[in-house]
Amino acid sequence: MDWEDLKSFVTVAELGTVRRAADQLGVHHATVGRRIARLEEATGTRLFDRRPEGLVLTSPGEELLTVASRAASDFDAAHRRIAGQDAVPTGQVTASMGEPVANHIIAPGLPGFAAQYPGLSLHINATWAIQDLARGDADVAIRADNNPSDTLFGKRLFAYRESVYASPDYLRTYSDRSIGDSGRWIGWGGRPPFRPAWVESSAFSDTQVWGGFHSLSLQVAAAEAGLGFVALPCLVGDNAAGLVRADTTPPRPARDIWVLTHADLRRTKRVRVTMEFLEDQLRQHRAIIEGNA
């Protein structure tokens, strides 16, 4: 049995006609008529006697009404309880994002968020690994992605920007060309000859890529130690004490920033207020993210 069919059946039994029931339910009378017909087919019995004064329940109809009315009452009570619980956001929300975003963008706003929603516990997984929202690895995610999955719900904000960085000592050495070669890029993946587009389009296109360092923090550490040039998000490079921008051209747009959740969670109050907080923090720090601070 379909719940909409049962709800229409209860309403018709209470009001006595299909048209009155349709008016109360906000649907066409033909829709109510089809629902009653489906219910009679599903039960294999006639539920109403059609009389000039209206519809009158049969004995099977009276028995079904007893059960259906109780079910409707229980459903309405549950709905009220659930709606009441979600009016004030409580419980835990797990958010996934890169560590630089967590440290420099989100952390400064956490005291205010905690004060505004004392019953909500925010857990942050500071990782670049993409956590599966569909499997519940996280409830909300800040992702840098130009094509997020269609199964996710959220908002695209703006693109983060990248620039080229190096230690001041390395930059002076490179300028003097006293290192004996054309310089060195710090690599992050791929097999030789690995030459990403950002190398070719940079001011240091004659510089070779060396090594592979998949951790962003390791790339920063290697660059601070004087290993070579490194392409970094401005949020990361501008906050690295031992690095300076090596390129005088404006930072280039990289990938779009999204605040995402699974479609099933998008109407949950605690998830909504968390997504609003994350978006607000990102927008407040847009200049830093785009390298214009």
Side-chain angles (χ1 to χ4, degrees), residues 54-79:
L55 299 178
V56 179
L57 286 167
T58 62
S59 293
E62 290 177 350
E63 185 174 350
L64 179 61
L65 179 62
T66 301
V67 177
S69 296
R70 187 164 59 244
S73 178
D74 290 344
F75 181 85
D76 289 341
H79 181 270

Side-chain angles (χ1 to χ4, degrees), residues 150-179:
D150 292 338
T151 63
L152 301 179
F153 171 85
K155 185 181 292 186
R156 179 176 61 186
L157 303 184
F158 46 85
Y160 75 88
R161 292 176 183 265
E162 293 180 332
S163 189
V164 180
Y165 296 85
S167 71
D169 287 344
Y170 184 84
L171 195 57
R172 283 192 294 269
T173 302
Y174 177 84
S175 299
D176 294 340
R177 295 297 173 116
S178 60
I179 55 177

Side-chain angles (χ1 to χ4, degrees), residues 105-223:
I105 305 299
I106 304 305
L110 289 177
F113 182 73
Q116 186 175 2
Y117 302 109
L120 195 154
S121 178
L122 180 58
H123 292 224
I124 295 179
N125 291 337
T127 174
W128 288 110
I130 295 180
Q131 297 194 298
D132 195 333
L133 298 179
R135 295 179 57 183
D137 293 341
D139 303 308
V140 179
I142 296 175
R143 285 189 184 168
D145 194 339
N146 289 337
N147 295 291
S149 169
D150 292 338
T151 63
L152 301 179
F153 171 85
K155 185 181 292 186
R156 179 176 61 186
L157 303 184
F158 46 85
Y160 75 88
R161 292 176 183 265
E162 293 180 332
S163 189
V164 180
Y165 296 85
S167 71
D169 287 344
Y170 184 84
L171 195 57
R172 283 192 294 269
T173 302
Y174 177 84
S175 299
D176 294 340
R177 295 297 173 116
S178 60
I179 55 177
D181 56 32
S182 60
R184 185 187 302 111
W185 275 96
I186 296 174
W188 49 263
R191 295 181 177 178
F194 177 62
R195 199 162 180 81
W198 43 261
V199 169
E200 298 294 348
S201 61
S202 75
F204 312 100
S205 57
D206 61 340
T207 305
Q208 299 301 308
V209 178
W210 188 88
F213 305 89
H214 298 278
S215 163
L216 197 62
S217 59
L218 181 56
Q219 293 171 32
V220 170

